[in-house]
């Protein structure tokens, strides 16, 4: 009986020594090349789409809004797929459709004096609409907004 207990204690001791001793035998970090580090930082790829103009009709006035839009695509493979002429045209058409739907339904587009809040809100709404057809689009940035108000007759 004592022999079985000694053998069991030796097996448990060697198992624990191997489990905890492994960290001393293995290197703590794998060597990272500069190219791998650069790829890790470039998860989102910027794709400028250009200027879009939409017309918002409100009671008593018409607002013509021009926005300059950039979208950010997740992953190099998805960016390479969309970055061609055909993919960029499809993405631009999707953005036009999203902006047109926002302008016609008037979903929360409020013209305020706080331009940063309006940019953030509008870009979030555009991304939500684009994500349905382009799941690789993660975020968008509105670079500039130009508004011109005219009185409705």
């Amino acid at each position: 009986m004592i022999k079985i207990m000694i053998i069991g204690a030796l097996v448990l001791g060697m198992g624990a020594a191997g489990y905890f001793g492994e960290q001393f035998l293995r290197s703590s970090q794998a060597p990272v090349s500069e190219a791998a580090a650069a790829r890790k930082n470039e998860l989102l790829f910027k794709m400028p789409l250009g200027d879009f103009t939409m017309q918002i009709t409100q009671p008593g006035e018409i607002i013509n809004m021009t926005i300059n839009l950039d979208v950010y695509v997740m992953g190099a493979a998805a960016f390479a797929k969309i970055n061609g002429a055909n993919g960029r045209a499809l993405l631009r058409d999707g953005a036009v459709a999203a902006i047109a739907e926002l302008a016609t339904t008037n979903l929360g587009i409020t013209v305020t004096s706080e331009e940063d809040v309006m940019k953030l809100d509008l870009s979030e709404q555009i991304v939500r609409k684009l994500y349905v057809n382009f799941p690789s689009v993660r975020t968008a940035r509105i670079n500039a907004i130009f508004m011109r108000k005219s009185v409705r007759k």
Side-chain angles (χ1 to χ4, degrees), residues 74-140:
M74 177 65 107
F79 181 75
K81 181 179 176 183
I82 294 176
N83 196 24
N86 190 27
R88 191 177 289 257
L90 288 174
L91 186 61
R92 188 163 168 81
D93 290 345
V96 166
I99 291 171
E101 185 177 343
L102 287 174
T104 57
T105 57
N106 209 7
L107 291 175
I109 297 177
T110 56
V111 180
T112 62
S113 60
E114 298 179 25
E115 188 172 311
D116 293 335
V117 174
M118 185 176 58
K119 282 182 182 180
L120 183 63
D121 184 44
L122 192 57
S123 65
E124 286 175 355
Q125 291 179 19
I126 291 170
V127 168
R128 277 189 225 116
K129 301 264 184 215
L130 281 176
Y131 186 77
V132 173
N133 296 326
F134 300 96
S136 60
V137 172
R138 294 292 184 234
T139 187

Side-chain angles (χ1 to χ4, degrees), residues 19-97:
Y19 181 76
F20 292 110
E22 181 263 341
Q23 64 183 343
F24 298 111
L25 297 175
R26 184 174 47 125
S27 65
S28 61
Q29 287 184 350
V32 178
S33 67
E34 289 182 18
R39 276 194 309 265
K40 184 177 178 183
N41 291 334
E42 294 180 2
L43 294 177
L44 292 177
F45 293 89
K46 178 182 173 183
M47 182 177 291
L49 292 182
D51 292 334
F52 298 94
T53 301
M54 65 179 175
Q55 187 176 40
I56 303 169
T57 57
Q58 293 181 345
E61 66 182 359
I62 297 174
I63 301 168
N64 292 317
M65 183 181 298
T66 303
I67 57 176
N68 187 320
L69 182 69
D70 294 341
V71 296
Y72 291 87
V73 178
M74 177 65 107
F79 181 75
K81 181 179 176 183
I82 294 176
N83 196 24
N86 190 27
R88 191 177 289 257
L90 288 174
L91 186 61
R92 188 163 168 81
D93 290 345
V96 166

